[in-house]
Amino acid sequence: MLRLSQLFVRTLRDDPSDAEVPSHRLLVRAGYIRRAAPGGYTWLPLGWRVLRKVEDIVRQEMDAMGAQEVHFPALLPRDVYEATGRWTEYGDNLFRLKDRKGADFLLGPTHEEMFTLLVKDMYSSYKDLPVSLYQIQTKYRDEARPRAGLLRGREFLMKDSYSFDIDDDALAVSYAQHRDAYERIFARLQLPYVIVKAMSGAMGGSMSEEFLAPIEVGEDTFVRCSACDYSANTEAVTTSVPTADSNTYDASSTIATPNCPTIATLVDFLNENHPRTDRPWQASDTLKNVVLRLRQPDGSTETLVIGVPGDREVDMKRIEAQLSPAEVEPLDDAGFAQHRTLIRGYIGPQILGSTSDSGIRYLVDPSVVHGSAWVTGANTKDTHVIHLVHGRDFTADGTIEAVEVAAGDPCPNCAAPLEIARGIEIGHVFQLGRKYADKLGLTVLDHNGKQVVVTMGSYGIGVSRAVASIAEVFHDDIGLKWPRAIAPADVHVVVTGKNGDDITIAGEKIAAELEAQGLEVLIDDRNGVSPGVKFKDAELIGIPTILVVGKSLAEGNVELRDRHAGTNEAIPVADAVTRVVALARSGQ
RNA sequence: CGGGGUGUGGCGCAGUUGGUAGCGCGCCUGGUUUGGGACCAGGAGGCCGGGAGUUCAAGUCUCCCCUCCCCGACCA
């Protein structure tokens, strides 16, 4: 039995000043966690119980799908990460340290290499596959900006698992099993989620999905369709190809546009000096050409220009994801100096394209459809071109999804408007493919006795982040409201009497009976603490069922409070144990 | 890494023109209280983020560094 008179906890009356998001505020205030280091938290008894319950649910479902638990050290040698290039690739986010002999070590940010080598060490036949292994481990990442308490720390608890298969079909099966297990885990945690398509990006895999808890304070932006079930991470959105523009336009003409350095000033100038007959000019009539530099992993660079409608922002993440593994950056002054034909602010596609004199590759966003007419730069200072038609007056080398996805954009599935929402990434499933197995030499003999490279999947759940996410979903102004499955106890018995009086005796008796029934009981047996304080603390701590043994005992009643529903029901003392046990076992 | 804010007992905060630190909560002792964060009396607890400087004198002024929070960049 957890006795509040003994429990190592101190609830705070005021919000801690450094906590902004509700989960952080309430977990500290209710005595679940305490900040111990930048990006690091101490788990107090109540919090540790919740964390272990989340862990247990994850463990049960992973075991049920056939994965086997192992445990690696967090302290890892450099050479393993050197083999895959991640010692350098991971950059500043990696915690590095040296041992007394000066040898390099790191604190594991994720364990692909270790799992791959472990399987290589032990297995060598297709008969050993498939196999899925997992661990629940403390991970270390030297985040540039830890924030929001448990939501982004530098040390956090993660379940990571890895599947090993003989071929892509088998990988698809392992992937589906993990995905199903994740759905069961989040359902048991009562954590709402959407599964969004994610970019496989530099990891080189083929299929990747994120589980996002749709919560405003989340750091991930995703889109979802207002009509169908489509959802995707913003950088992974693919737009449907718009139909070509079949209108006929006037011949293009070059016009002087003094003092029009921005799109807004250009549009104003056009409306004043070259008004359209049908409607005013708009930013969406202009074609904005952004100059980028691509840097390939081998160090070579290329200048690239991307055309997007002038009313849209360029999304560098989306572009980078499609050009991976090349890195993308805006062209700097030195770069412009090398391309004298590119006049900043007046760049037009007339001189661009790999077959043009400049030889500069030119891509357009799909919204710049064939046959559409644009206002754009004339490649001379203070001069623009109007009625420049795609396909007639200029050509592109191809298309690239380049504009920042905005609310109201059409859904690629059904064309209904998309919504933009924020979420917390609580899980990620990923078909890694052969990247790690290749680099680390993980092969097995197939049934023909031939060496084949194993294909892998990697799957993660942020366990400590899940605790915070649940707190984000289940709280109100006065405290936490845990789902029953992970509450630190089944019932919180509030006893409002003084030591030795009838109320205290009755409360202790009920608590003991509840415990005898197998329930986890937290009893507020503090002497000399006023009922108001006990009620406030019970609401703050957030155990879903609160049983008050107090003044209504005189009428033979106790009070059964539901923290979620906010209800308070007087029930006969004799029924108390049965009722509470039934509630606890209902799972609701 | 850029921009903004911040740092004073465990928590929340005040501290004037520079003059040797205070309030509320919490904690301890005694007493009175006990259904919505009680009351009275008496206590304990502070390298004022760190360093350097100006000054007879620095929480307060100057410079450098650091922390935490927010926004951005970054984030398998």
Side-chain angles (χ1 to χ4, degrees):
Chain A
M1 193 174 309
L2 296 168
R3 293 184 171 276
L4 225 31
S5 63
Q6 311 290 323
L7 190 67
F8 189 63
V9 68
R10 178 110 301 146
T11 57
L12 304 176
R13 188 185 291 239
D14 300 306
D15 287 333
S17 65
D18 60 353
E20 196 69 23
V21 300
S23 62
H24 186 197
R25 224 174 56 221
L26 291 169
L27 287 170
V28 171
R29 197 145 90 80
Y32 285 74
I33 60 170
R34 204 86 171 181
R35 197 187 87 90
Y41 287 81
T42 304
W43 294 85
L44 301 174
L46 286 175
W48 189 240
R49 292 173 73 88
V50 173
L51 182 70
R52 281 185 351 227
K53 289 189 179 197
V54 173
E55 221 181 279
D56 284 345
I57 287 173
V58 171
R59 189 173 277 122
Q60 285 163 18
E61 293 297 337
M62 293 310 296
D63 289 345
M65 65 140 281
Q68 300 174 61
E69 186 171 7
V70 297
H71 198 78
F72 284 92
L75 181 66
L76 302 170
R78 168 180 177 164
D79 53 355
V80 173
Y81 280 71
E82 201 69 82
T84 52
R86 289 216 290 187
W87 174 262
T88 43
E89 224 173 72
Y90 228 99
D92 290 339
N93 262 22
L94 194 62
F95 273 108
R96 300 151 207 269
L97 57 163
K98 287 184 190 296
D99 71 5
R100 59 169 71 198
K101 287 179 260 177
D104 286 317
F105 282 82
L106 61 96
L107 295 175
T110 170
H111 279 70
E112 277 84 2
E113 287 84 351
M114 300 306 292
F115 275 88
T116 308
L117 288 172
L118 183 67
V119 172
K120 180 187 178 185
D121 202 22
M122 293 178 55
Y123 277 4
S124 49
S125 163
Y126 74 97
K127 293 179 190 169
D128 296 322
L129 304 182
V131 64
S132 283
L133 301 173
Y134 76 98
Q135 67 172 344
I136 295 176
Q137 239 268 5
T138 306
K139 304 291 189 191
Y140 298 87
R141 295 183 195 173
D142 190 0
E143 295 285 350
R145 181 154 83 91
R147 63 174 288 272
L150 256 27
L151 283 176
R152 174 170 295 276
R154 299 205 292 180
E155 173 178 317
F156 56 97
L157 194 65
M158 177 164 164
K159 188 285 302 178
D160 52 326
S161 41
Y162 304 86
S163 63
F164 299 86
D165 284 287
I166 190 73
D167 58 27
D168 292 347
D169 288 346
L171 169 57
V173 172
S174 296
Y175 180 87
Q177 286 171 342
H178 270 90
R179 196 178 186 277
D180 289 349
Y182 277 28
E183 296 210 60
R184 285 192 295 273
I185 288 167
F186 294 125
R188 285 180 65 182
L189 295 175
Q190 294 188 39
L191 203 43
Y193 62 89
V194 289
I195 301 177
V196 305
K197 289 184 185 22
M199 288 306 296
S200 38
M203 294 293 290
S206 49
M207 176 74 179
S208 168
E209 290 169 296
E210 285 172 5
F211 287 70
L212 299 181
I215 297 166
E216 262 311 299
V217 301
E219 298 178 281
D220 291 272
T221 308
F222 68 100
V223 299
R224 58 181 161 197
C225 178
S226 54
C228 74
D229 61 359
Y230 178 83
S231 59
N233 207 310
T234 42
E235 70 248 34
V237 172
T238 49
T239 50
S240 47
V241 180
T243 49
D245 187 338
S246 57
N247 294 323
T248 52
Y249 293 99
D250 295 347
S252 67
S253 58
T254 303
I255 55 172
T257 51
N259 302 317
C260 296
T262 66
I263 287 177
T265 53
L266 175 63
V267 169
D268 289 346
F269 180 87
L270 289 174
N271 280 323
E272 198 160 314
N273 300 289
H274 302 272
R276 291 175 68 118
T277 50
D278 51 348
R279 59 169 174 80
W281 292 99
Q282 300 165 355
S284 56
D285 295 317
T286 67
L287 180 65
K288 177 161 71 176
N289 295 294
V290 183
V291 189
L292 305 174
R293 164 160 297 180
L294 289 191
R295 190 181 305 278
Q296 300 294 344
D298 65 10
S300 64
T301 60
E302 177 197 349
T303 302
L304 171 71
V305 180
I306 294 180
V308 300
D311 61 330
R312 303 301 294 257
E313 294 301 317
V314 171
D315 187 334
M316 293 293 282
K317 274 187 176 178
R318 280 183 90 196
I319 291 172
E320 189 149 28
Q322 291 166 89
L323 296 173
S324 172
E327 286 176 26
V328 183
E329 60 191 24
L331 192 68
D332 56 15
D333 293 345
F336 271 100
Q338 288 166 11
H339 293 287
R340 308 296 291 275
T341 49
L342 299 179
I343 313 297
R344 251 195 265 210
Y346 302 93
I347 297 165
Q350 306 88 319
I351 57 158
L352 298 170
S354 43
T355 58
S356 72
D357 289 346
S358 69
I360 297 171
R361 188 148 65 112
Y362 182 61
L363 301 175
V364 293
D365 187 80
S367 55
V368 182
V369 298
H370 196 85
S372 54
W374 299 90
V375 177
T376 192
N379 299 302
T380 307
K381 191 164 165 36
D382 293 336
T383 314
H384 283 84
V385 183
I386 58 176
H387 308 310
L388 196 75
V389 174
H390 184 192
R392 182 186 77 183
D393 304 320
F394 72 94
T395 55
D397 294 313
T399 60
I400 184 168
E401 303 276 358
V403 304
E404 207 169 82
V405 178
D409 282 358
C411 167
N413 271 3
C414 70
L418 290 174
E419 298 168 350
I420 303 270
R422 304 269 284 176
I424 299 172
E425 182 182 347
I426 48 175
H428 198 160
V429 290
F430 203 123
Q431 294 190 14
L432 274 182
R434 297 180 177 79
K435 175 177 173 178
Y436 289 91
D438 255 335
K439 288 193 172 165
L440 297 167
L442 171 59
T443 60
V444 294
L445 293 177
D446 70 7
H447 62 282
N448 297 318
K450 206 180 78 187
Q451 295 276 355
V452 294
V453 178
V454 169
T455 184
M456 295 169 55
S458 93
Y459 317 90
I461 288 180
V463 178
S464 46
R465 178 181 278 184
V467 172
S469 303
I470 294 165
E472 287 294 337
V473 176
F474 297 100
H475 73 271
D476 57 19
D477 289 347
I478 57 173
L480 297 159
K481 306 195 278 194
W482 296 109
R484 198 169 285 285
I486 63 154
D490 293 309
V491 58
H492 185 144
V493 179
V494 172
V495 183
T496 63
K498 280 183 286 201
N499 274 357
D501 68 7
D502 291 348
I503 289 173
T504 306
I505 291 165
E508 288 284 350
K509 181 162 173 284
I510 291 169
E513 286 171 16
L514 288 166
E515 190 167 61
Q517 292 289 315
L519 266 54
E520 293 174 340
V521 180
L522 172 66
I523 183 169
D524 194 344
D525 60 341
R526 290 175 294 179
N527 193 38
V529 173
S530 73
V533 171
K534 292 185 175 185
F535 296 149
K536 292 283 188 202
D537 276 345
E539 284 148 358
L540 183 58
I541 289 168
I543 291 165
T545 299
I546 299 165
L547 188 70
V548 180
V549 183
K551 68 176 184 187
S552 56
L553 191 67
E555 291 93 57
N557 289 332
V558 293
E559 293 153 52
L560 187 59
R561 298 187 180 183
D562 184 312
R563 181 69 181 89
H564 287 276
T567 53
N568 184 10
E569 183 189 355
I571 60 170
V573 181
D575 296 348
V577 171
T578 328
R579 285 287 301 274
V580 172
V581 168
L583 273 174
R585 293 192 181 145
S586 74
Q588 284 307 301

